mmCIF file of all heavy atoms in Angstrom:
data_model
loop_
_atom_site.group_PDB
_atom_site.id
_atom_site.type_symbol
_atom_site.label_atom_id
_atom_site.label_comp_id
_atom_site.label_asym_id
_atom_site.label_seq_id
_atom_site.Cartn_x
_atom_site.Cartn_y
_atom_site.Cartn_z
ATOM 1 N N THR A 208 -205.717 32.217 98.712
ATOM 2 C CA THR A 208 -205.177 31.328 97.683
ATOM 3 C C THR A 208 -204.070 32.027 96.909
ATOM 4 O O THR A 208 -203.006 31.444 96.659
ATOM 5 C CB THR A 208 -206.297 30.885 96.722
ATOM 6 O OG1 THR A 208 -207.292 30.168 97.457
ATOM 7 C CG2 THR A 208 -205.752 29.978 95.624
ATOM 8 N N ARG A 209 -204.285 33.280 96.529
ATOM 9 C CA ARG A 209 -203.240 34.029 95.818
ATOM 10 C C ARG A 209 -202.005 34.200 96.703
ATOM 11 O O ARG A 209 -200.866 34.128 96.227
ATOM 12 C CB ARG A 209 -203.768 35.410 95.397
ATOM 13 C CG ARG A 209 -204.989 35.410 94.511
ATOM 14 C CD ARG A 209 -204.737 34.913 93.115
ATOM 15 N NE ARG A 209 -203.764 35.667 92.371
ATOM 16 C CZ ARG A 209 -203.764 35.763 91.032
ATOM 17 N NH1 ARG A 209 -204.711 35.178 90.325
ATOM 18 N NH2 ARG A 209 -202.816 36.431 90.401
ATOM 19 N N LEU A 210 -202.237 34.426 97.977
ATOM 20 C CA LEU A 210 -201.132 34.551 98.923
ATOM 21 C C LEU A 210 -200.338 33.252 98.972
ATOM 22 O O LEU A 210 -199.099 33.262 98.988
ATOM 23 C CB LEU A 210 -201.694 34.887 100.307
ATOM 24 C CG LEU A 210 -200.691 35.080 101.448
ATOM 25 C CD1 LEU A 210 -199.809 36.288 101.183
ATOM 26 C CD2 LEU A 210 -201.439 35.250 102.774
ATOM 27 N N ALA A 211 -201.055 32.127 98.975
ATOM 28 C CA ALA A 211 -200.389 30.821 99.000
ATOM 29 C C ALA A 211 -199.543 30.605 97.750
ATOM 30 O O ALA A 211 -198.427 30.063 97.828
ATOM 31 C CB ALA A 211 -201.437 29.717 99.130
ATOM 32 N N PHE A 212 -200.056 31.026 96.595
ATOM 33 C CA PHE A 212 -199.286 30.886 95.356
ATOM 34 C C PHE A 212 -197.967 31.659 95.466
ATOM 35 O O PHE A 212 -196.910 31.177 95.037
ATOM 36 C CB PHE A 212 -200.105 31.415 94.175
ATOM 37 C CG PHE A 212 -201.015 30.412 93.533
ATOM 38 C CD1 PHE A 212 -202.041 29.835 94.266
ATOM 39 C CD2 PHE A 212 -200.864 30.033 92.218
ATOM 40 C CE1 PHE A 212 -202.899 28.913 93.687
ATOM 41 C CE2 PHE A 212 -201.708 29.106 91.621
ATOM 42 C CZ PHE A 212 -202.734 28.538 92.360
ATOM 43 N N ALA A 213 -198.039 32.876 96.020
ATOM 44 C CA ALA A 213 -196.833 33.699 96.168
ATOM 45 C C ALA A 213 -195.842 33.035 97.115
ATOM 46 O O ALA A 213 -194.638 32.988 96.846
ATOM 47 C CB ALA A 213 -197.210 35.089 96.671
ATOM 48 N N LEU A 214 -196.347 32.502 98.210
ATOM 49 C CA LEU A 214 -195.474 31.839 99.190
ATOM 50 C C LEU A 214 -194.858 30.568 98.615
ATOM 51 O O LEU A 214 -193.714 30.226 98.917
ATOM 52 C CB LEU A 214 -196.271 31.514 100.452
ATOM 53 C CG LEU A 214 -196.652 32.708 101.329
ATOM 54 C CD1 LEU A 214 -197.739 32.327 102.319
ATOM 55 C CD2 LEU A 214 -195.424 33.244 102.065
ATOM 56 N N ALA A 215 -195.609 29.875 97.776
ATOM 57 C CA ALA A 215 -195.086 28.646 97.173
ATOM 58 C C ALA A 215 -194.004 28.943 96.131
ATOM 59 O O ALA A 215 -193.027 28.207 96.014
ATOM 60 C CB ALA A 215 -196.220 27.856 96.536
ATOM 61 N N SER A 216 -194.182 30.035 95.392
ATOM 62 C CA SER A 216 -193.228 30.363 94.332
ATOM 63 C C SER A 216 -192.043 31.176 94.831
ATOM 64 O O SER A 216 -190.974 31.176 94.218
ATOM 65 C CB SER A 216 -193.942 31.143 93.218
ATOM 66 O OG SER A 216 -194.354 32.417 93.703
ATOM 67 N N GLY A 217 -192.245 31.908 95.936
ATOM 68 C CA GLY A 217 -191.186 32.777 96.426
ATOM 69 C C GLY A 217 -191.056 34.054 95.623
ATOM 70 O O GLY A 217 -190.033 34.744 95.705
ATOM 71 N N VAL A 218 -192.083 34.413 94.838
ATOM 72 C CA VAL A 218 -192.050 35.650 94.045
ATOM 73 C C VAL A 218 -192.675 36.776 94.861
ATOM 74 O O VAL A 218 -193.835 36.706 95.245
ATOM 75 C CB VAL A 218 -192.828 35.479 92.716
ATOM 76 C CG1 VAL A 218 -192.881 36.804 91.965
ATOM 77 C CG2 VAL A 218 -192.167 34.414 91.853
ATOM 78 N N GLY A 219 -191.875 37.785 95.156
ATOM 79 C CA GLY A 219 -192.364 38.920 95.928
ATOM 80 C C GLY A 219 -192.252 38.722 97.426
ATOM 81 O O GLY A 219 -192.548 39.628 98.199
ATOM 82 N N VAL A 220 -191.813 37.536 97.840
ATOM 83 C CA VAL A 220 -191.720 37.215 99.261
ATOM 84 C C VAL A 220 -190.813 35.992 99.413
ATOM 85 O O VAL A 220 -190.613 35.224 98.459
ATOM 86 C CB VAL A 220 -193.128 36.910 99.839
ATOM 87 C CG1 VAL A 220 -193.725 35.673 99.193
ATOM 88 C CG2 VAL A 220 -193.094 36.776 101.340
ATOM 89 N N GLU A 221 -190.255 35.811 100.575
ATOM 90 C CA GLU A 221 -189.435 34.617 100.820
ATOM 91 C C GLU A 221 -190.315 33.367 100.763
ATOM 92 O O GLU A 221 -191.410 33.331 101.322
ATOM 93 C CB GLU A 221 -188.764 34.720 102.189
ATOM 94 C CG GLU A 221 -187.809 33.572 102.477
ATOM 95 C CD GLU A 221 -187.112 33.735 103.827
ATOM 96 O OE1 GLU A 221 -187.245 34.808 104.433
ATOM 97 O OE2 GLU A 221 -186.446 32.766 104.255
#
Side-chain angles (χ1 to χ4, degrees):
T208 299
R209 302 290 300 208
L210 181 65
F212 272 62
L214 288 164
S216 67
V218 175
V220 64
E221 184 178 351

